[in-house]
């Protein structure tokens, strides 16, 4: 069982993460020795640098945990934890030194490569110039100036095209802005029209409802009048039913022979 687990689970977890990083650093530097391409070496070195930073962060976290627990642990435990921390720092420093060594070697290779290329181009230009006559040198200079003038003209054309495109874009944006403003105004007008139409529909609805009530009331009156007329005709002698104003009671016909 890991002795750190007995002291603190957090310390044991941090120690496990640091051990994994040290193992990855060891394998990474072994792989770096086998890589010949400078670009691949640079990428591998950047990856290892990231692991070194992470390891440094974990060691600082380990140190904070040890200091927080120092008052609760006995002297022998604190001594063991400090020795563990110093061992981690020593191993990390060894990998940092190894990383600096590889970085220096890689930088020296790049400098040698660039210097060699510049020297080769310089020597090539000197050889070409030494093999030319004065007239050839003048013609070559005139040709280079012509090419420069052409390049400047092309640059001017590109700049002018860019300005034209910018002007057209600004005009299009202005037109679109005006169109959007008109659309907003039209939407406001439509909204106002819809609001007025809603009010009119409500008023018409209220008028229709009022008209319906009046029609129903008139219909009830007419039905009542007709009902009273029918009852008076059927029962003319019924005193409980009052006569309708303006309507004369039914005349009683007498037979001629009954008067004799």
């Amino acid at each position: 069982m890991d002795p750190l687990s007995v002291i603190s689970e957090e310390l044991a977890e941090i120690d496990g993460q640091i051990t994994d990083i040290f193992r990855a650093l060891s394998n990474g530097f072994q792989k770096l020795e086998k890589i010949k391409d400078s670009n691949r070496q640079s990428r591998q070195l950047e990856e290892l640098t990231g692991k070194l930073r992470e390891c440094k962060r974990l060691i600082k976290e380990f140190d904070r945990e040890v200091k927080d627990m120092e008052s609760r642990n006995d002297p022998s435990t604190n001594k063991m934890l400090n020795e563990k921390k110093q061992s981690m720092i020593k191993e990390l420093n060894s990998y940092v030194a190894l990383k600096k060594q590889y970085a220096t070697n890689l930088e020296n290779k790049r400098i040698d490569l660039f210097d060699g290329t510049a020297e080769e181009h310089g020597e090539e230009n000197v050889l070409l110039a030494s093999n030319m006559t004065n007239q050839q040198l003048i013609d070559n200079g005139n040709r280079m100036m012509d090419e420069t003038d052409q390049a400047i003209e092309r640059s001017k054309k590109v700049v002018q095209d860019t300005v034209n495109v910018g002007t057209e874009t600004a005009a299009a944006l202005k037109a679109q802005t005006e169109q959007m403003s008109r659309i907003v105004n039209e939407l406001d007008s439509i909204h106002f029209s819809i609001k007025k139409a809603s009010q009119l529909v409500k008023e018409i609805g209220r008028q229709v409802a009022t008209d319906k009530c009046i029609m129903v009331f008139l219909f009830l009156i007419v039905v009542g009048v007709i009902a009273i007329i029918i009852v008076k005709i059927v029962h003319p002698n019924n005193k409980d039913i009052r006569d309708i104003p303006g309507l004369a009671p039914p005349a009683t016909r007498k037979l001629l022979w009954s008067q004799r």
Side-chain angles (χ1 to χ4, degrees), residues 152-246:
I152 292 173
E153 290 298 327
R154 288 194 297 269
S155 300
K156 288 182 179 179
K157 187 176 182 301
V158 171
V159 171
Q160 186 61 38
D161 293 340
T162 304
V163 172
N164 294 335
V165 171
T167 303
E168 293 175 358
T169 304
L173 289 175
K174 183 179 179 181
Q176 291 178 358
T177 303
E178 294 176 353
Q179 184 179 4
M180 290 296 295
S181 179
R182 289 195 298 270
I183 291 173
V184 171
N185 294 332
E186 291 177 358
L187 289 176
D188 291 338
S189 300
I190 292 172
H191 179 70
F192 179 76
S193 299
I194 291 174
K195 186 175 180 181
K196 293 293 292 182
S198 299
Q199 293 177 354
L200 290 174
V201 169
K202 290 180 181 178
E203 291 178 359
I204 293 172
R206 285 195 294 268
Q207 292 178 359
V208 170
T210 304
D211 293 342
K212 286 183 178 180
C213 292
I214 293 172
M215 292 297 293
V216 170
F217 183 70
L218 292 175
F219 176 75
L220 292 176
I221 292 174
V222 171
V223 171
V225 171
I226 293 172
I228 293 172
I229 292 172
I230 293 172
V231 171
K232 288 295 289 181
I233 293 173
V234 175
H235 302 285
N237 297 323
N238 191 346
K239 302 300 182 180
D240 295 331
I241 300 175
R242 299 178 60 185
D243 294 334
I244 298 174

Side-chain angles (χ1 to χ4, degrees), residues 120-167:
E120 290 175 1
H121 285 292
E123 292 175 358
E124 183 180 357
N125 292 331
V126 170
L127 291 174
L128 290 174
S130 61
N131 292 331
M132 290 182 181
T133 62
N134 291 334
Q135 186 61 38
Q136 289 175 339
L137 289 173
I138 293 172
D139 293 339
N140 189 32
N142 291 331
R143 182 177 57 81
M144 293 178 65
M145 286 190 292
D146 292 338
E147 292 177 354
T148 304
D149 292 339
Q150 292 175 3
I152 292 173
E153 290 298 327
R154 288 194 297 269
S155 300
K156 288 182 179 179
K157 187 176 182 301
V158 171
V159 171
Q160 186 61 38
D161 293 340
T162 304
V163 172
N164 294 335
V165 171
T167 303

Side-chain angles (χ1 to χ4, degrees), residues 70-104:
E70 190 174 5
S71 60
R72 300 192 299 270
N73 295 331
D74 55 85
S76 60
T77 301
N78 291 331
K79 182 180 178 181
M80 184 269 291
L81 293 175
N82 287 324
E83 290 177 352
K84 181 72 174 177
K85 181 188 68 175
Q86 293 299 327
S87 175
M88 292 176 180
I89 295 173
K90 183 178 180 181
E91 188 171 359
L92 176 63
N93 289 334
S94 65
Y95 284 118
V96 171
L98 192 60
K99 176 252 180 183
K100 290 181 179 179
Q101 179 182 351
Y102 277 105
T104 303

